Amino acid sequence: MQLTPFCLMLTCLRVSPDRSQFFRYDNISLSCGEELNSTGWKVKRETSKGGTRPCSSGWGFVSSGSNCIIRQTYPTDSGVYWCESISGEQGNSVNITITDRPVILESPTLPVPAGATVTLYCKPETESSNHFFDFYKDGHCIRSNSMGEMTITSVSKSDEGLYKCSISGGEESLGSWLAVEDSPLSSTPCTSAAEPAAPCSVPVLRLVCHVVVGVPYLCSTVLLALIYRDRRRAAQIAAKRTSTDRVIMEMIV
């Protein structure tokens, strides 16, 4: 799985396989993917009864570190998932859906950078060589084929929208939102896409630490500069007075 520019620096939820729709009984792996340090981050979700719970507290189990695995998923596992630190910082949220429908749309779970190439897959629960696939964007059929995939090259903001697909016989998938970032592909070492997901939150604690450490140095630097300026000015005034006194003494002599 690849990452957005935000996730290269911050903690984002990674979903494997990289999609937001799953069939009943599928297995899902979730992890908090902070590149620098994922220690202390946990995967959390909204429960069907309200409130939030971390992994291994009634759903899923922690395999290692911040990794959480859900086996034999059920529709009740549908919901919003995210990463959260022990200090309360939150990463992006991902809307995961477990469906009883016979077809799903496989689309990335994080926003795709502009200029990237994205492939959407229409996946039937039961494979058949007789299937024909239709792809829809915002309710309009935009492509039909027998391969079950649709590739969008050099995506742009105009490609953002709600996508779904159907197979021969009229069975349709649920819709998934494809989000596109404004950042060009050239400045993006990694990528990904998805349901409407909030950008990763900035680690507030880390920012506060930088401010607390930096402000005293800034203040001391300014204070030293002011002291140096005042001393230099006093020295110049003293030098002028000494010169004036010498001239007066010479005139008197």
Side-chain angles (χ1 to χ4, degrees):
M1 177 180 292
Q2 295 175 308
L3 297 175
T4 63
F6 291 112
C7 296
L8 290 173
M9 298 179 293
L10 311 177
T11 297
C12 284
L13 177 65
R14 303 182 188 183
V15 182
S16 181
D18 184 15
R19 61 177 190 257
S20 56
Q21 295 181 22
F22 294 86
F23 292 117
R24 180 194 290 260
Y25 307 132
D26 278 347
N27 296 330
I28 306 175
S29 176
L30 307 168
S31 64
C32 298
E34 186 178 48
E35 294 298 305
L36 298 179
N37 180 19
S38 60
T39 304
W41 288 82
K42 293 183 178 180
V43 179
K44 289 191 174 183
R45 61 163 289 190
E46 290 183 357
T47 63
S48 57
K49 296 181 180 180
T52 63
R53 284 187 181 182
C55 182
S56 293
S57 62
W59 66 273
F61 70 93
V62 176
S63 60
S64 64
S66 63
N67 296 327
C68 178
I69 295 178
I70 309 175
R71 289 181 175 170
Q72 298 291 299
T73 57
Y74 286 86
T76 52
D77 290 311
S78 298
V80 179
Y81 293 75
W82 66 92
C83 290
E84 188 169 317
S85 70
I86 55 177
S87 60
E89 298 169 289
Q90 292 185 4
N92 66 308
S93 60
V94 174
N95 195 340
I96 294 177
T97 302
I98 314 300
T99 179
D100 285 325
R101 297 193 180 195
V103 59
I104 62 174
L105 177 70
E106 294 186 355
S107 63
T109 53
L110 294 174
V112 178
T117 297
V118 179
T119 300
L120 307 180
Y121 298 92
C122 193
K123 183 178 180 180
E125 190 171 19
T126 303
E127 298 292 340
S128 172
S129 58
N130 297 325
H131 282 316
F132 198 79
F133 305 89
D134 294 322
F135 290 86
Y136 299 83
K137 177 179 181 290
D138 300 328
H140 301 286
C141 185
I142 57 175
R143 196 168 305 179
S144 299
N145 60 46
S146 59
M147 298 179 295
E149 62 182 60
M150 183 184 78
T151 299
I152 307 172
T153 58
S154 189
V155 296
S156 64
K157 275 292 185 179
S158 63
D159 293 309
E160 266 193 347
L162 187 67
Y163 289 80
K164 66 179 181 179
C165 69
S166 67
I167 57 177
S168 48
E171 299 290 353
E172 284 190 350
S173 72
L174 295 171
S176 285
W177 184 267
L178 179 66
V180 179
E181 289 182 344
D182 289 327
S183 56
L185 183 61
S186 59
S187 62
T188 310
C190 309
T191 65
S192 218
E195 287 282 334
C200 309
S201 61
V202 176
V204 178
L205 184 60
R206 189 181 304 169
L207 179 60
V208 171
C209 289
H210 286 305
V211 172
V212 171
V213 173
V215 168
Y217 285 105
L218 178 62
C219 292
S220 60
T221 301
V222 173
L223 182 60
L224 289 174
L226 292 174
I227 293 174
Y228 175 77
R229 185 195 64 181
D230 291 341
R231 286 185 176 179
R232 185 176 180 181
R233 184 179 299 172
Q236 291 175 346
I237 294 174
K240 289 182 180 180
R241 287 179 178 176
T242 301
S243 177
T244 302
D245 292 342
R246 287 179 180 175
V247 171
I248 294 175
M249 291 178 64
E250 289 177 0
M251 291 177 63
I252 293 175
V253 172

